[in-house]
Amino acid sequence: MMIVMSPLATEEEIAVVQARVDTLPDVHVVLIRGELNTVIAAVGDADAVREMGLEGYAGVNSVVAISRPYKLASSEVAHHEPTVFEVLGRTVGGPDAFCLIAGPCTVESREQTLEVARAVQAGGASMLRGGAFKPRTSPFAFSGLGEPALEILAEARAETGLPVVSELLDIQHADVIAQYVDVVQIGARNMQNYALLAVAGQLGKPVLLKRGLSSTIEELLMAADYVLKEGNEDVMLCERGIRTFETATRFTLDLSAIPVLKLHTHLPVIVDPSHAAGDRRLVEPLSRAAAAVGADGLIVEVHQDPEHALCDGAQALYASQFADFARDVGAHAALLGKHLSADTRTAPAG
Ligand code: PEP
Ligand code: MN
């Protein structure tokens, strides 16, 4: 950390700050005298310096961090190699895999979910998504079928072989979510629900962590640290659009987030163009763009009858068109050497 003193700071003020930092056992203090400003460099335990609140001391201009505040998600500290993990034989992360997660926004019925599951499996999807507990802006909107939806997803997995992804909305659903799903999704609205992140980290399942609607990339990585801290290393991050002044799309897909994240974290990064766009006509071009900027995969909404979907119909791809979509996106991913992640487990003999 660098504590930059004001040009008007007195020697006494500088000495007070220096002495304060000097009380920290794991911090080495170096005083740098510039022409105008004096800088107190505090080398070592940055968190301890950060927590001192030195910005409020007389004579202090600013406190500037040199190292990044997220630790476990960082590729700069210890973990230089990309994180790669498998979900029922489908690879997530690494140089070769492009993970295509597809399915309905919400499980509405057995027939609807099985039909979409069959279509996305036939089209080359890597995993099936489907909401059982839905975060809805209005408390009067359809909020999912709950546990029966998870049973339907399990049936879809049994039939298609696709691993299932579903959102953990609340700590009280943790056991039932862990019982049924293969990947635990943390929704954008819960990205900073730290108690929920810790619970998600304890379930022994990979976690798909969505970026909050108004969260910075740094906050996303610090949220990931909450999951990683529980000893769960199988975390994928998801850019799903952020709030900006633009209203032409539901959210603004922050495509820069993907290469930025790739620079700073070892975790796989996927993109959700459906919730970002809010309009199915934009989903394919945004998916191609996501593949082109180096995403490790996509999560997209698909419905066999989007006009009658109970949630997010306008952004759902038609199930009948999914295979063409997957082929197109797969071709774009292939330009960067990535291929749609399929089950690589060898079939049991006999
Ligand atoms: C979802 O994936 O169903 C969802 C609600 O997404 P988000 O949390 O990104 O809004
Ligand atoms: Mn949705």
Side-chain angles (χ1 to χ4, degrees):
M1 301 287 276
M2 304 289 260
I3 301 124
V4 183
M5 303 301 295
S6 145
L8 301 176
T10 65
E11 283 306 316
E12 198 190 335
E13 287 167 346
I14 295 170
V16 166
V17 176
Q18 186 177 5
R20 181 82 177 102
V21 182
D22 249 337
T23 61
L24 293 170
D26 298 323
V27 175
H28 174 62
V29 183
V30 182
L31 202 64
I32 305 164
R33 299 271 184 191
E35 232 173 84
L36 271 180
N37 301 73
T38 294
V39 172
I40 301 168
V43 186
D45 187 350
D47 286 337
V49 179
R50 209 176 262 123
E51 277 159 27
M52 287 189 136
L54 296 170
E55 295 88 343
Y57 279 48
V60 173
N61 223 346
S62 57
V63 179
V64 183
I66 305 297
S67 59
R68 298 181 190 279
Y70 46 88
K71 300 187 175 15
L72 305 174
S74 170
S75 50
E76 288 160 3
V77 185
H79 201 312
H80 302 299
E81 292 304 310
T83 286
V84 183
F85 56 90
E86 296 227 333
V87 184
L88 301 186
R90 279 80 177 172
T91 305
V92 181
D96 310 319
F98 193 83
C99 177
L100 179 54
I101 305 171
C105 175
T106 310
V107 173
E108 299 168 12
S109 70
R110 186 171 171 274
E111 293 65 34
Q112 168 248 6
T113 301
L114 289 178
E115 198 177 326
V116 176
R118 288 178 196 126
V120 301
Q121 193 265 338
S126 319
M127 300 190 203
L128 175 69
R129 63 151 289 147
F133 300 97
K134 295 299 297 178
R136 300 305 304 272
T137 304
S138 164
F140 306 110
F142 174 62
S143 60
L145 297 177
E147 187 167 353
L150 296 171
E151 287 167 7
I152 293 168
L153 287 170
E155 189 180 342
R157 172 180 51 216
E159 189 187 314
T160 62
L162 293 174
V164 302
V165 183
S166 200
E167 177 166 349
L168 172 63
L169 183 64
D170 192 298
I171 288 171
Q172 67 183 349
H173 309 139
D175 290 342
V176 72
I177 284 282
Q179 186 188 332
Y180 287 101
V181 312
D182 303 297
V183 175
V184 177
Q185 178 172 327
I186 298 293
R189 287 154 192 82
N190 266 322
M191 189 205 86
Q192 288 183 309
N193 182 339
Y194 301 123
L196 187 69
L197 294 176
V199 168
Q202 292 158 8
L203 296 179
K205 305 271 177 168
V207 172
L208 189 171
L209 176 60
K210 290 191 142 193
R211 179 179 181 183
L213 325 180
S214 301
S215 296
T216 64
I217 290 171
E218 188 170 280
E219 286 164 344
L220 171 62
L221 290 168
M222 292 171 85
D225 266 3
Y226 273 89
V227 181
L228 296 165
K229 186 167 173 280
E230 298 303 318
N232 185 344
E233 297 189 353
D234 298 345
V235 177
M236 59 179 127
L237 305 173
C238 179
E239 161 59 39
R240 47 79 70 212
I242 51 174
R243 261 276 141 79
T244 67
F245 56 83
E246 182 56 73
T247 54
T249 47
R250 192 174 173 190
F251 294 92
T252 299
L253 184 64
D254 181 9
L255 281 170
S256 328
I258 294 93
V260 169
L261 284 164
K262 290 277 160 191
L263 284 175
H264 298 297
T265 181
H266 51 86
L267 297 173
V269 183
I270 68 164
V271 169
D272 176 347
S274 307
H275 289 90
D279 179 336
R280 85 172 59 84
R281 296 168 299 179
L282 305 183
V283 169
E284 188 159 329
L286 292 177
S287 297
R288 290 189 208 121
V293 291
D296 295 299
L298 293 170
I299 178 166
V300 291
E301 291 189 339
V302 181
H303 200 285
Q304 79 275 55
D305 182 12
E307 285 76 14
H308 294 100
L310 294 182
C311 182
D312 287 349
Q315 67 199 33
L317 298 171
Y318 289 97
S320 58
Q321 295 170 2
F322 180 76
D324 286 342
F325 166 83
R327 200 172 304 117
D328 182 50
V329 168
H332 281 76
L335 293 173
L336 293 188
K338 288 178 180 282
H339 300 283
L340 294 187
S341 201
D343 191 355
T344 51
R345 294 168 300 177
T346 40

